Amino acid sequence: MTMGGLAFVPGALSVFTGCTPGNRGSMSRRGSIIDSMSDLMVIDSVSVLCCTPGVDGETAFLAGYRKADDGGGSEIYWDSECTDTADDGMVFKVDGVTKGRWRRPEVGYINVKWFGARGDGVFKSGIDNEVHVFDKCLDWISKNKVKKIYVPEGLYILEHGLYTQIDSKHNGLELYGDGETSELKFSDRINRDNPACLWMISWATKKTTGLPLEDMYIHDLKFNGNRQGHKIPMEGGNTGYALWVNGQPNLPKGEESKNIRIERVHTCNHNTSGLSIRTSNTVVKDCRTWGHFQHGVETHNDAKDVLVDGLIAWKCGNKITNTGYGVDFSSGENLKLTNFEIYDCWAGFKTSVNIKSVEITNGIFRDNWGRGLQQTSVPNSGYTLRIDNVISQNNPGGNRFDDMKSLSIGTFISRNDGNADNAAILVNNNVRKFHADSLEIYDAKGMALRVFTHGAIIEHIVINGASGSGIQGKHGGNHLNVNGGVIDRIDGDMVHARGSESYFKLTNIEFIGPVGIRVDPGSTVDVIGCDFTKVSTSNTGGGMVKFDSTSKIN
């Protein structure tokens, strides 16, 4: 038999398995689990413990919570002066004894199994439901200096989300497990009478307090919403989040929370989203999220200074409603997504109302049902987006940028994106400034690049394969400056300056294919140092093309 990581020889210890304290008088009550195991009394369960009084300074071993070896055991000791209220996790009262308590030694954390969690994958309703254990643990740390809650390997079935509102009295909370093997899962018979309770954990400071959330850390856990199992449809309410993180609303933005960290957390199968970040100064690191009706990770409430690093998101969204994203930054400032892989969602990434600044680096959007990146609604008028070292691949809706102060791209590669209705990349006219160091577009399934903005500069471009145009301007006119690159294997016009007011400046570009440029009447294209020797027709439109002396044409 193994207890607490130490080997015990059966028969070497006195073991109490029933509530019979009267026959203990001749037994040794002294000793330590470490240095005097032969003198250590072993008590089989909490129910036996609560009818087994001790003597001052006595050390014993609690073998389990409900039965031996169920994970709820530990060393315990008798405090003859203690009159604390029993919590049946760290402090235990013996029936009929007014003064004196069994206590667990404080070791810097509490274990949910010490408070009665089973982790056996069996659903029990009412007071025996696992959710009550987590509530008890949160209540305990709100009153004690120890702030760490350990969730050992196991499957914990929850009837609904936690009742406890995590707020500033829980500051310093660390909730952690053994990785994906420490799983909290909603029951098939989930309580649908109060859908707000479907949240696994809701961090929300009470509006009457003015204290920020600080130093909270959740890591190495799995949250499973089981939406296919409980069959509760999405009904427009905020239902089924894994983690909802909300700061103190009465504090200035950026000060309502500090040092919130979610790391190596796996969320899946929720009716809404996996992680809903609604507060500032938050890091989401190396998380996995999939199978949500809406989004893998989302931000709201003008969240500020949020970093999502190392995310893998897949199968988020709804093909019927055409909604759901791997990441949805709905509002916020200084939001960063980096080192990511997002695939098989309705769309990979979305920004929308009240967004102020976003940076996306070092990742791939691939095989999504709709777009790789897209924007909906009108954001903050000063919205800026920075993209660098990002790949979009096999996204039939392409990538669309609609309305922002500036779009800045370091390196962006598109492969097999778009369709007959969607260009691989569209920069719309309400993007007031567009600058790209390097754009590469391969095998676009429709047009490769549509640039409608009036202030666009592309330092280097490669377009290799498109079933529509290579570069197309806006019908009402726009301004585009492209410096260097190659445009090849284009079924339509390599460059099309549309309408009567467009102006393009093309410098040091090699054109390969049947039709080089199409310029509509009233528009102008300046060509400097370009190579048209591998083009059958340099211009098919009625507008003006000005070739400088360094350009090569047939």
Side-chain angles (χ1 to χ4, degrees):
M1 177 169 59
T2 300
M3 296 183 179
L6 301 176
F8 289 80
V9 179
L13 305 178
S14 301
V15 179
F16 276 67
T17 59
C19 193
T20 56
N23 60 7
R24 301 178 54 227
S26 62
M27 293 185 179
S28 172
R29 303 183 179 91
R30 302 289 178 178
S32 165
I33 195 170
I34 303 298
D35 59 14
S36 185
M37 291 182 289
S38 61
D39 290 333
L40 190 68
M41 178 176 65
V42 177
I43 299 175
D44 189 63
S45 65
V46 168
S47 62
V48 177
L49 181 70
C50 289
C51 57
T52 307
V55 296
D56 190 36
E58 180 174 27
T59 299
F61 187 82
L62 177 62
Y65 195 90
R66 293 178 178 83
K67 61 182 180 179
D69 299 321
D70 65 3
S74 73
E75 186 175 339
I76 55 175
Y77 67 95
W78 180 261
D79 183 346
S80 61
E81 297 299 316
C82 182
T83 58
D84 292 352
T85 301
D87 55 32
D88 294 332
M90 295 293 287
V91 180
F92 303 89
K93 183 181 183 302
V94 175
D95 294 342
V97 177
T98 303
K99 189 176 183 180
R101 301 286 188 268
W102 287 108
R103 305 182 69 106
R104 297 187 199 260
E106 291 192 6
V107 293
Y109 68 92
I110 60 172
N111 184 328
V112 295
K113 289 194 173 183
W114 294 350
F115 285 77
R118 301 182 309 278
D120 57 4
V122 176
F123 171 72
K124 292 189 176 183
S125 62
I127 195 65
D128 291 325
N129 189 259
E130 300 275 41
V131 70
H132 299 288
V133 175
F134 289 90
D135 283 324
K136 285 167 61 178
C137 291
L138 288 169
D139 181 64
W140 189 90
I141 68 161
S142 72
K143 302 171 182 176
N144 292 272
K145 292 182 179 180
V146 172
K147 299 298 183 182
K148 295 184 178 182
I149 302 175
Y150 170 51
V151 183
E153 178 178 347
L155 178 57
Y156 303 82
I157 306 296
L158 279 69
E159 188 172 19
H160 47 69
L162 303 188
Y163 286 121
T164 301
Q165 178 171 272
I166 301 177
D167 57 23
S168 56
K169 68 176 176 289
H170 299 92
N171 280 347
L173 167 66
E174 180 176 350
L175 176 66
Y176 66 100
D178 293 319
E180 293 186 14
T181 57
S182 297
E183 180 176 352
L184 282 67
K185 182 180 179 181
F186 285 164
S187 163
D188 291 350
R189 291 170 283 180
I190 198 165
N191 179 356
R192 64 178 299 169
D193 295 331
N194 184 359
C197 286
L198 296 181
W199 306 335
M200 282 266 185
I201 293 181
S202 173
W203 291 347
T205 54
K206 294 180 180 179
K207 293 183 179 181
T208 56
T209 69
L211 298 175
L213 297 177
E214 294 188 40
D215 302 321
M216 293 192 173
Y217 185 26
I218 285 188
H219 60 98
D220 298 292
L221 289 166
K222 181 177 181 180
F223 298 115
N224 186 344
N226 190 29
R227 68 183 179 90
Q228 290 87 358
H230 61 62
K231 297 182 175 62
I232 295 179
M234 176 67 177
E235 296 174 342
N238 292 326
T239 62
Y241 293 92
L243 292 175
W244 167 298
V245 189
N246 192 41
Q248 168 53 251
N250 294 334
L251 295 174
K253 183 53 59 178
E255 299 179 17
E256 82 284 10
S257 59
K258 301 174 183 177
N259 193 25
I260 309 298
R261 189 173 184 91
I262 302 168
E263 190 166 5
R264 295 184 301 278
V265 166
H266 183 170
T267 68
C268 61
N269 287 321
H270 286 82
N271 261 15
T272 306
S273 301
L275 304 178
S276 186
I277 309 301
R278 298 166 183 251
T279 191
S280 300
N281 304 306
T282 300
V283 173
V284 177
K285 173 74 172 173
D286 294 333
C287 292
R288 309 289 181 265
T289 183
W290 64 275
H292 304 296
F293 194 95
Q294 286 291 311
H295 320 304
V297 177
E298 65 179 28
T299 64
H300 285 280
N301 296 3
D302 296 324
K304 184 177 181 180
D305 300 325
V306 174
L307 171 64
V308 180
D309 183 1
L311 178 73
I312 298 179
W314 69 102
K315 291 188 181 300
C316 296
N318 186 330
K319 291 183 179 180
I320 298 175
T321 60
N322 293 341
T323 58
Y325 310 92
V327 173
D328 174 21
F329 284 166
S330 289
S331 67
E333 180 178 0
N334 193 26
L335 311 179
K336 297 180 180 180
L337 172 65
T338 188
N339 303 315
F340 60 89
E341 183 177 6
I342 298 176
Y343 61 95
D344 201 16
C345 301
W346 163 243
F349 175 87
K350 184 198 77 169
T351 60
S352 57
V353 295
N354 295 324
I355 201 76
K356 295 178 181 177
S357 56
V358 173
E359 182 176 307
I360 305 172
T361 58
N362 305 324
I364 183 169
F365 302 99
R366 64 174 178 85
D367 303 311
N368 295 292
W369 321 328
R371 294 194 171 102
L373 296 97
Q374 79 168 60
Q375 180 183 318
T376 62
S377 304
V378 178
N380 182 279
S381 60
Y383 171 40
T384 60
L385 173 61
R386 168 72 179 170
I387 299 173
D388 192 23
N389 196 27
V390 170
I391 296 172
S392 172
Q393 182 172 308
N394 299 329
N395 301 301
N399 303 275
R400 180 168 179 145
F401 308 98
D402 277 328
D403 193 332
M404 62 190 71
K405 179 181 178 180
S406 69
L407 170 61
S408 175
I409 293 176
T411 300
F412 187 80
I413 299 173
S414 168
R415 300 182 184 275
N416 302 307
D417 285 337
N419 54 32
D421 299 318
N422 296 283
I425 300 174
L426 167 63
V427 183
N428 221 330
N429 54 295
N430 286 327
V431 177
R432 294 177 289 288
K433 181 180 179 181
F434 170 46
H435 187 282
D437 292 332
S438 178
L439 280 182
E440 299 180 26
I441 303 172
Y442 299 93
D443 297 309
K445 302 307 179 184
M447 296 181 188
L449 174 63
R450 304 183 80 184
V451 181
F452 293 171
T453 181
H454 283 267
I457 299 175
I458 302 172
E459 299 295 347
H460 183 79
I461 193 163
V462 173
I463 301 178
N464 193 324
S467 59
S469 300
I471 302 174
Q472 185 182 100
K474 183 185 177 185
H475 205 31
N478 63 315
H479 189 291
L480 172 64
N481 190 334
V482 184
N483 303 310
V486 179
I487 302 178
D488 187 14
R489 297 195 305 117
I490 309 300
D491 290 349
D493 308 310
M494 295 187 199
V495 174
H496 183 187
R498 298 175 66 192
S500 60
E501 300 178 12
S502 292
Y503 172 73
F504 288 5
K505 183 179 180 180
L506 309 176
T507 305
N508 299 323
I509 300 172
E510 181 181 9
F511 292 82
I512 304 171
V515 178
I517 300 175
R518 177 181 172 186
V519 185
D520 288 353
S523 292
T524 301
V525 175
D526 279 335
V527 179
I528 303 170
C530 293
D531 187 347
F532 283 85
T533 58
K534 298 176 183 178
V535 173
S536 301
T537 305
S538 58
N539 179 22
T540 61
M544 180 178 294
V545 180
K546 300 178 181 179
F547 294 95
D548 82 326
S549 60
T550 63
S551 294
K552 301 176 182 178
I553 58 175
N554 289 330

